[in-house]
Amino acid sequence: MRLSVLDLTPVRTDQSTPDALAATMHLAKAVDRLDYHRYWVAEHHNVPSVAATSPAVLTAMIAAVTSRLRVGSGGVMLPNHAPLAVAEQFALLEAAHPGRIDLGIGRAAGADPVATTVLRAATGRGDREIDEFADNLADVIALLGTAGVALQLGESSYVLKSTPHAVTRPRVFVLGSSMQSARVAAAQGLPYVFGHHLFGEQTEEALECYRSQFVPSEFCAAPAAFLTVNTVVAETPEEATALTLPYLQLQARAATGQPAGRLDLVEDAQQVILTPQQQHVAQGEFERAVVGTPTEALAALQRLADRLGVDELMLNPVASARRGTAPTRSPGRENTLALLAEAAATKVNNK
């Protein structure tokens, strides 16, 4: 079972944006020393608890402070961007860090309707880009190729490239949490990453759709399915659950139309009383997550990977922090990944 990391750069109530970014940089450097394969960042807009607004910028920052990990986007929300702009950004990242850059691409907005409208207004993009996702994705892939794309302009031909002379190109993944994204990934022969950390209702159906409809390509000879999982690990089950509570409440507020705000500290979350509807949402989020001690969590992750037959799990460490924690650090997230890595190494050594 291969493990990787998805980092949304969460913002706690005791943090500013610079603090949250500093915590992400520290986490990425720590993960670079552990046995994880890749480190991805997200794209969300106008979300008080998430500082990851520009995956290309964050990827550049993290790649610069790490040396071993593959680094990339989980993902770029393609309807928000021109395919050429995405290809240019990640072609440059790949040129700067050859063989280390991943480009995960999704078809969602990553924002509320108002932010989405403002974001797309400058480029003239709209809802049609969601329907044209497969074509725009194919354009990004072609533009990343060494030959570029040949356009016929009347009687003249014109070659469009994302970078003058590419030597390598980033690996492209399709992200999604629906049957539509599974079909696109399968048709284009690309690895598929299902957002299980967001939605768990269609996980098995989407993965089966992807595998059954997969068409081999130059990028993948066989289906390659990944899964994202919310994860919190601590020395005791009680501490792991306490560190998870602020995230569960945040999701419950958002799902019931309440202002989400930033991620609470543990002590503040323990004083909150949820409505019955919010409790139902929080319980569903908790059951889909992996929360516990290192041994418990590793076993749960292995069962999940075996049951769904995925090649890789991408862990989204959602632990908050206790009062008095340095704002520029995220010890709950750091410990989650360190404790899991240690448990995995111990298991391998004991075989």
Side-chain angles (χ1 to χ4, degrees):
M1 176 179 61
R2 190 158 67 181
L3 300 177
S4 290
V5 177
L6 171 66
D7 181 7
L8 275 59
T9 311
V11 186
R12 305 188 307 259
T13 53
D14 64 333
Q15 290 178 312
S16 64
T17 300
D19 292 333
L21 287 175
T24 275
M25 293 304 110
H26 195 280
L27 181 64
K29 288 188 281 189
V31 171
D32 197 41
R33 298 189 292 269
L34 301 173
D35 192 22
Y36 289 90
H37 188 61
R38 65 186 89 240
Y39 193 107
W40 282 5
V41 294
E43 177 183 344
H44 291 277
H45 301 280
N46 202 39
V47 179
S49 61
V50 177
T53 55
S54 177
V57 172
L58 270 176
T59 296
M61 294 168 63
I62 293 167
V65 299
T66 58
S67 60
R68 183 191 58 80
L69 289 164
R70 293 191 66 91
V71 183
S73 60
V76 169
M77 299 296 103
L78 191 53
N80 298 337
H81 311 281
L84 177 59
V86 174
E88 287 178 334
Q89 290 165 0
F90 280 80
L92 278 177
L93 288 167
E94 175 66 19
H97 306 279
R100 292 184 58 209
I101 301 301
D102 292 335
L103 172 54
I105 298 180
R107 63 189 292 275
D112 61 47
V114 175
T116 298
T117 299
V118 173
L119 185 67
R120 296 176 182 174
T123 58
R125 301 178 72 75
D127 290 341
R128 70 181 185 279
E129 269 68 35
I130 296 177
D131 298 328
E132 296 171 0
F133 173 69
D135 291 337
N136 289 333
L137 173 64
D139 289 342
V140 171
I141 293 171
L143 287 163
L144 287 170
T146 56
V149 176
L151 303 177
Q152 195 65 34
L153 303 178
E155 296 182 357
S156 303
S157 60
Y158 180 87
V159 177
L160 186 62
K161 293 186 174 185
S162 60
T163 195
H165 185 64
V167 177
T168 59
R169 57 184 174 187
R171 190 180 185 193
V172 178
F173 301 74
V174 175
L175 279 62
S177 55
S178 68
M179 306 300 284
Q180 294 94 324
S181 56
R183 293 188 186 101
V184 171
Q188 300 200 21
L190 295 170
Y192 179 52
V193 184
F194 187 85
H196 186 72
H197 75 291
L198 294 171
F199 305 102
E201 292 79 7
Q202 287 190 313
T203 302
E204 295 185 45
E205 294 86 347
L207 292 176
E208 175 57 30
C209 173
Y210 168 67
R211 294 185 180 110
S212 65
Q213 298 185 20
F214 183 82
V215 178
S217 71
E218 62 176 303
F219 309 109
C220 271
F226 297 14
L227 203 69
T228 58
V229 187
N230 291 328
T231 310
V232 177
V233 180
E235 295 288 358
T236 67
E238 294 77 14
E239 180 63 7
T241 299
L243 290 169
T244 311
L245 187 60
Y247 175 80
L248 300 177
Q249 294 179 355
L250 183 74
Q251 296 303 108
R253 290 194 295 270
T256 55
Q258 300 300 311
R262 288 177 289 172
L263 188 68
D264 280 340
L265 296 171
V266 170
E267 291 84 355
D268 296 326
Q270 289 173 331
Q271 303 304 312
V272 172
I273 299 176
L274 298 179
T275 67
Q277 183 183 10
Q278 290 172 337
Q279 289 175 347
H280 178 74
V281 172
Q283 183 62 32
E285 291 283 346
F286 182 77
E287 291 173 357
R288 192 169 64 252
V290 170
V291 180
T293 65
T295 302
E296 293 169 344
L298 187 64
L301 290 169
Q302 187 67 66
R303 288 194 299 270
L304 183 64
D306 292 343
R307 179 169 65 86
L308 297 173
V310 294
D311 302 279
E312 187 169 327
L313 294 177
M314 300 203 71
L315 312 182
N316 178 27
V318 297
S320 186
R322 292 188 175 274
R323 188 169 288 113
T325 298
T328 57
R329 296 289 296 273
S330 53
R333 298 200 297 147
E334 294 170 24
N335 289 338
T336 288
L337 299 175
L339 290 171
L340 264 179
E342 181 180 355
T346 299
K347 181 180 179 180
V348 170
N349 293 333
N350 289 340
K351 282 187 176 181

